[in-house]
């Protein structure tokens, strides 16, 4: 274990906070710390890929939400058409029979995620390799690879591929509004939404809020969230308080804030008759999510706690055991793997090893 800890510290691995510490990390040089690398990558300009500061509404580029059932509603007869009824009111023509409206479903059928499906996918942002596998190579090929990996985790469930796209990215610089975050343009989100829809996959919009309001960032994505195949993933490690800068310290959220986000999503589900919507929150250390007992499940929302953290299989199992201890009722579990960083000085865990964790993860994400 001592060797594993030393490897983790030399690599600047985030899992050092698993015991509940809230580490400030100014000492390692930027190129030796993944946290500094990610923040610097975002600040250096995802170029045309992100828009710094306040973002205009996605309504101009977001696809219009399909009516329940995913197809245009049948046109209703015009007022005054048809044959007058006994009372003088117009009656529908005999040939116009009401059609039963099909309720919106998940990409591969049904309206509930669990226990039918196991979610497996990639995270990232195109053009930013440091932010995850989804940001490298051809997106179509990455989506196909995610499908293949998902099948290796089926284990008695139906695999449901996931594309977790960073929609709000934490920055090491304040930006014009002082929020220390950039928003991914609607055109990029739209491209990945179409890709997810073509692959019958879920699109998760990941939020690294910086100093911006988490709920505010979620609401800014409303035009996407009204679709039945779009959910939210929160990265509270990057949720900064006043005076904090992304990359220097772990961020923080709590059960009350997570419940507010879940309640907002539940309202969208109810308003648009949507299938169950995933709300993932990635947690790298016990300190990152406080007052977890205040977390309240909401109708139509599947809450998923995803264990974050880089390291060897032994270290990752230790992180898992810390984070799933005393798990609140109604909370599902997820597990994050890192293709490159987990393998530095060690190796990547196999699907068999991940599925041997208890409780068995219901969402597996590769970064």
């Amino acid at each position: 274990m001592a060797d594993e800890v030393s490897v983790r510290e030399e690599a600047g691995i985030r899992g050092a906070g698993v015991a509940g510490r809230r580490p400030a990390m100014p000492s390692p040089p930027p190129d030796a710390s993944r946290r500094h690398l990610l923040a610097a990558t975002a600040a250096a300009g995802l170029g045309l890929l992100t828009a710094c500061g306040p973002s205009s509404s996605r309504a101009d580029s977001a696809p219009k939400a399909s009516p329940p059932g995913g197809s245009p509603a049948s046109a209703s007869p015009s007022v005054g058409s048809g044959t007058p009824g006994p009372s003088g009111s117009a009656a529908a023509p005999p040939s116009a029979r009401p059609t039963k409206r099909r309720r919106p479903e998940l990409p591969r059928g049904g309206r509930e995620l669990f226990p039918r499906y196991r979610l497996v996918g990639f995270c990232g942002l195109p053009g930013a390799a440091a932010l995850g596998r989804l940001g490298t190579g051809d997106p179509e090929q990455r989506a196909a690879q995610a499908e293949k990996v998902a099948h290796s985790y089926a284990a008695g469930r139906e695999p449901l591929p996931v594309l977790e796209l960073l929609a709000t990215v934490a920055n090491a610089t304040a930006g014009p509004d002082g929020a220390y975050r950039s928003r991914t343009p609607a055109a990029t989100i739209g491209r990945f939404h179409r890709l997810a829809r073509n692959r019958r996959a879920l699109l998760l919009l990941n939020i690294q809020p910086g100093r911006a309001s988490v709920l505010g960032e979620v609401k800014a994505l409303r035009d996407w969230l009204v679709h039945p195949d779009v959910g939210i993933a929160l990265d509270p490690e990057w949720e900064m308080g006043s005076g904090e800068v992304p990359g220097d310290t772990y961020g923080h959220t709590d059960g009350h804030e997570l419940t507010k986000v879940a309640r907002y999503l539940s309202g969208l589900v109810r308003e648009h008759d949507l299938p169950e919507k995933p709300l993932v929150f990635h947690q790298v250390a016990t300190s990152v999510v406080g007052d977890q007992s205040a977390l309240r499940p909401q109708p139509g929302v599947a809450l998923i706690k995803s264990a974050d953290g880089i390291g060897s299989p032994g270290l990752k199992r230790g992180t898992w055991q810390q984070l799933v201890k005393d798990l609140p009722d109604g909370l599902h579990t997820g597990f994050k793997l890192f293709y490159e960083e987990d393998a530095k000085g060690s190796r990547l865990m196999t699907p068999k090893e991940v599925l041997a964790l208890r409780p068995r993860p219901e969402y597996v994400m590769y970064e």
Side-chain angles (χ1 to χ4, degrees):
M1 179 61 75
D3 290 341
E4 291 177 341
V5 172
S6 65
V7 168
R8 180 175 59 183
E9 290 174 345
E10 290 171 5
I13 286 172
R14 298 182 296 171
V18 71
R21 298 190 299 274
R22 191 170 182 177
M25 306 177 71
S27 53
D31 59 352
S33 167
R34 181 174 182 278
R35 293 179 54 76
H36 283 87
L37 176 63
L38 298 192
T41 299
L46 301 171
L48 298 176
L49 296 175
T50 57
C52 295
S55 172
S56 60
S57 169
R58 266 79 169 167
D60 55 345
S61 300
K64 299 297 183 182
S66 301
S71 60
S74 301
S76 56
S78 302
V79 174
S81 64
T83 305
S87 62
S89 60
S95 59
R97 294 184 178 180
T99 57
K100 186 175 182 181
R101 180 172 61 91
R102 182 182 175 187
R103 304 178 74 190
E105 294 188 344
L106 294 165
R108 303 200 173 192
R111 290 178 53 87
E112 293 186 359
L113 287 165
F114 307 119
R116 175 175 176 176
Y117 294 107
R118 192 176 320 279
L119 281 50
V120 181
F122 294 162
C123 177
L125 182 67
L131 300 181
R133 179 57 61 98
L134 195 60
T136 64
D138 177 67
E140 290 279 356
Q141 294 178 352
R142 286 291 175 248
Q145 185 183 6
E147 170 96 32
K148 183 177 180 180
V149 173
H151 280 276
S152 68
Y153 280 94
R157 292 194 182 188
E158 294 182 42
L160 180 54
V162 175
L163 305 181
E164 187 171 320
L165 179 72
L166 274 73
T168 303
V169 186
N171 288 350
T173 54
D177 61 356
Y180 286 85
R181 62 92 176 90
S182 300
R183 289 177 175 175
T184 299
T188 302
I189 298 177
R191 182 155 55 95
F192 276 83
H193 186 219
R194 289 190 295 274
L195 176 58
R197 183 158 287 182
N198 290 340
R199 303 293 311 194
R200 297 172 63 214
L202 276 175
L203 176 66
L204 291 187
L205 299 178
N206 181 294
I207 294 174
Q208 300 177 355
R211 292 190 193 172
S213 158
V214 173
L215 187 56
E217 295 302 301
V218 173
K219 289 181 176 181
L221 297 168
R222 185 186 187 281
D223 288 339
W224 304 102
L225 294 171
V226 295
H227 291 273
D229 52 358
V230 181
I232 285 289
L234 303 178
D235 231 335
E237 171 189 355
W238 302 95
E239 182 179 342
M240 301 290 111
S242 177
E244 295 177 341
V245 176
D248 286 346
T249 184
Y250 285 145
H252 179 268
T253 189
D254 59 34
H256 298 283
E257 182 171 62
L258 293 173
T259 298
K260 289 179 182 178
V261 174
R263 189 174 293 125
Y264 175 75
L265 295 178
S266 180
L268 293 181
V269 169
R270 182 176 60 255
E271 179 183 353
H272 296 275
D273 191 28
L274 298 172
E276 192 170 39
K277 195 168 285 294
L279 171 56
V280 178
F281 61 97
H282 296 293
Q283 184 174 356
V284 64
T286 54
S287 64
V288 169
V289 181
D291 201 3
Q292 192 171 256
S293 62
L295 186 55
R296 297 289 182 268
Q298 299 297 313
V301 178
L303 288 164
I304 305 170
K305 176 178 180 172
S306 173
D308 203 335
I310 300 167
S312 67
L315 281 173
K316 293 179 79 75
R317 290 188 192 98
T319 300
W320 174 262
Q321 291 166 5
Q322 287 280 343
L323 295 179
V324 302
K325 188 185 299 181
D326 302 324
L327 205 65
D329 292 338
L331 198 58
H332 302 274
T333 55
F335 193 72
K336 188 187 286 192
L337 295 146
F338 297 82
Y339 273 114
E340 295 182 4
E341 291 145 305
D342 281 351
K344 288 180 180 178
S346 184
R347 62 175 178 81
L348 192 67
M349 290 179 70
T350 66
K352 183 177 179 180
E353 290 174 318
V354 173
L355 291 171
L357 297 170
R358 293 295 180 269
R360 181 176 281 177
E362 297 182 274
Y363 176 37
V364 180
M365 194 271 272
Y366 285 83
E367 188 171 308

